[in-house]
Amino acid sequence: MKIYLDTNIFDALTKNDIRKEDTEMLFYEIENGRFEAYYSPTVVEEILLTKDKLQKSKLNKVLDNKVFIKKCIRLIPFNTHNDLTKIHNLVHAYWYVYEEFRDSPEGLRFVLKKSVFSKLGSQAEDRVHIATAVINKIDAFVTWNTREFIKNDKIKNWINKVNKKLGYSEISMYTPAQLLRNYSFVTN
């Protein structure tokens, strides 16, 4: 199973709580080949832009010092203008409600009404993470952002409705603990 790791998954490794334990268990499973894990340049950018200097230092150490991150977690490159265009278009589609899902001379048309996704004040980076995962045919988005993704069926349903309408696969969303519970039987 291919999984995309949100920035907060790496952040959890710097904490001293249950999230750290669950994330370490997930990384153990990744290292042992149970999951094919990915992250994107957006994760790296968010870490570089972290304002808290101590937290930024901790995050950089996580990325630099974890041998298995370099060995077992793949960076999704943004290789082409086409990749970025697809991600941009999908991010835009998550933000707005379509007037209609059909081709027109102007392309897909949008109404001004924003989606449930935008009403929750979600950060643009969140949509970029999900769009990157979807464009790259990742099966699951793994995050500790439970308020917006894990516990919010409206957001998950909206994302997958847009994905389906635009010809992409649906994406599942889990915390590390949920993923491990649901897929502890997965073997390669």
Side-chain angles (χ1 to χ4, degrees), residues 20-130:
K20 180 178 182 176
E21 293 174 29
D22 289 344
T23 302
E24 286 176 338
M25 288 172 48
L26 173 62
F27 280 17
Y28 175 81
E29 295 297 334
I30 291 168
E31 190 172 19
N32 287 296
R34 295 250 173 155
F35 302 104
E36 191 177 317
Y38 295 85
Y39 69 106
S40 74
T42 307
V43 170
V44 176
E45 179 183 25
E46 286 181 340
I47 290 171
L48 292 174
L49 294 176
T50 300
K51 291 180 179 159
D52 182 324
K53 289 182 182 182
L54 179 60
Q55 186 62 16
K56 184 177 189 172
S57 174
K58 288 179 183 178
L59 284 165
N60 281 323
K61 285 179 183 174
V62 165
L63 287 180
D64 290 340
N65 295 332
K66 297 286 184 178
V67 173
F68 67 86
I69 289 179
K70 293 180 180 179
K71 183 176 86 174
C72 300
I73 302 177
R74 297 163 180 91
L75 177 66
I76 296 171
F78 295 155
N79 286 331
T80 66
H81 178 70
N82 191 38
D83 293 341
L84 293 173
T85 300
K86 286 179 183 178
I87 291 167
H88 171 80
N89 289 343
L90 192 52
V91 165
H92 194 62
Y94 290 152
W95 195 250
Y96 290 96
V97 176
Y98 278 112
E99 180 180 353
E100 50 188 287
F101 286 101
R102 66 175 179 82
D103 290 323
S104 68
E106 304 83 34
L108 292 171
R109 291 185 281 170
F110 299 96
V111 294
L112 296 177
K113 181 181 173 191
K114 292 189 175 181
S115 71
V116 292
F117 206 136
S118 61
K119 291 176 185 174
L120 289 175
S122 173
Q123 299 296 317
E125 292 85 359
D126 293 337
R127 296 185 312 276
V128 172
H129 287 300
I130 293 169

Side-chain angles (χ1 to χ4, degrees), residues 163-188:
N163 290 345
K164 186 176 179 182
K165 288 285 187 183
L166 295 178
Y168 295 109
S169 297
E170 292 187 2
I171 190 163
S172 301
M173 297 180 194
Y174 301 102
T175 65
Q178 291 170 330
L179 183 70
L180 292 170
R181 266 195 315 275
N182 289 339
Y183 292 95
S184 61
F185 57 88
V186 176
T187 57
N188 286 340

